[in-house]
């Protein structure tokens, strides 16, 4: 396991890397960092795969961008830039939280460049409008999205009491799980850097942006596309971020014509790659090998 760099044009991103072979990009979400995948990458890197976890755009000082450059389509372009930098024709994607959303979008827009997708903890959002019928509880689960829309107040709330909201979200989204305190301390320390927290929140603030071309393209693409890439979706049945009904009732195999499987985990929540690490690692490796 080692640190390196990867480029998109003139922008340099820090990475964590392990192994050699077919490239697999691991995309992290919020509130988290790229080290969240380290144990999984170490295991998979020994099985003939080159595992790379970039620090996502806006999560380090060198990649802070104007908020209008943090739409889903822009973040997909980062993936293409990284592929050009390393001269990869095709890659596998593993994404958690926002990383899963970006992986889905990459499969929608550029299926010929993506060999497989593994999504952790996030359903395909094109079905989200039906959630009020199948999972009315999701309205309560999504309270934080409304908070994050409010500039200054959201940042102030998250920073208060030594970033207590970060601790709360990990506990609330994975009930009964005790997070690794060193990992949370690194996340909080990073959010203290000027501009980082606002950049991370811009992912949420841009989700329903209809005023810019990239915003409209991001939203309409998510709501009206198939994923023509073999896709597996792993989720926790006790997820406090996305209700289990969104996975069990709203995921339609016809949205994944090139191959699909979904697996739910008892006694696990949103951070299932921490809670059920061995099982999740095994399933990711199986999917990678099947679609190699």
């Amino acid at each position: 396991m080692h640190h390196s760099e990867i480029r998109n044009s003139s922008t340099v991103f820090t990475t964590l890397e392990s192994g050699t072979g077919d490239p697999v990009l691991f995309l992290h979400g919020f509130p988290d960092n790229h080290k969240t995948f380290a144990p999984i990458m170490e295991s998979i890197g020994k099985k003939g795969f080159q595992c790379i976890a970039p620090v996502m755009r806006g999560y380090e000082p060198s990649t802070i961008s104007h908020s209008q450059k943090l739409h889903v389509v822009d973040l997909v372009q980062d993936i293409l830039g990284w592929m050009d930098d390393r001269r990869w024709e095709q890659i596998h994607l593993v994404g958690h939280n926002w990383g899963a959303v970006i992986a889905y979008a990459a499969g929608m827009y550029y299926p010929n460049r993506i060999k497989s997708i593994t999504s952790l903890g996030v359903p395909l959002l094109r079905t989200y409008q039906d959630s009020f019928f199948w999972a009315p509880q999701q309205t309560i689960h999504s309270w934080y999205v409304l908070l994050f829309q409010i500039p200054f107040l959201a940042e102030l709330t998250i920073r208060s009491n030594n970033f207590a909201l970060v601790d709360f979200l990990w506990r609330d989204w994975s009930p009964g799980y005790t997070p690794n305190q060193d990992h949370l301390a690194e996340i909080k320390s990073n959010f203290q850097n000027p501009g980082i927290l606002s950049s991370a929140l811009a992912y949420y603030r841009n989700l329903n942006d209809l005023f810019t071309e990239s915003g409209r393209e991001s939203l309409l693409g998510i709501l009206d596309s198939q994923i023509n890439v073999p896709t597996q979706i792993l989720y926790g049945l006790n997820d406090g971020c996305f209700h289990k009904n969104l996975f069990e009732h709203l995921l339609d195999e016809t949205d994944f014509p090139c191959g699909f499987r979904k697996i739910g985990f008892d006694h696990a929540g949103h951070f299932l790659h921490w809670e059920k690490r061995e099982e999740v690692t095994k399933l990711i490796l199986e999917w990678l090998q099947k679609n190699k």
Side-chain angles (χ1 to χ4, degrees), residues 79-90:
I79 293 175
L80 296 181
W82 297 335
M83 293 176 70
D84 290 342
D85 180 55
R86 297 290 182 94
R87 299 180 180 178
W88 296 325
E89 289 297 321
Q90 291 183 307

Side-chain angles (χ1 to χ4, degrees), residues 221-237:
I222 289 173
L223 295 178
D224 191 31
S225 294
Q226 288 182 327
I227 300 182
N228 293 304
V229 175
T231 301
Q232 74 165 341
I233 300 177
L234 310 180
Y235 61 98
L237 296 176

Side-chain angles (χ1 to χ4, degrees), residues 14-18 22-29 33-45 49-56 79 82 88 91-96 99-100 103 118 120 273 280-281 284-285 288:
T14 302
T15 66
L16 187 65
E17 306 192 16
S18 178
D22 280 8
V24 186
L25 280 178
F26 288 76
L27 312 176
H28 71 83
N33 64 32
H34 65 313
K35 295 180 182 179
T36 194
F37 299 112
I40 293 176
M41 292 169 56
E42 190 168 12
S43 297
I44 293 177
F49 293 94
Q50 181 184 5
C51 300
I52 307 97
V55 177
M56 299 300 289
I79 293 175
W82 297 335
W88 296 325
I91 58 170
H92 302 270
L93 293 176
V94 177
H96 175 252
T118 295
L120 303 175
H273 58 297
V280 167
T281 301
I284 293 174
L285 182 58
L288 294 173

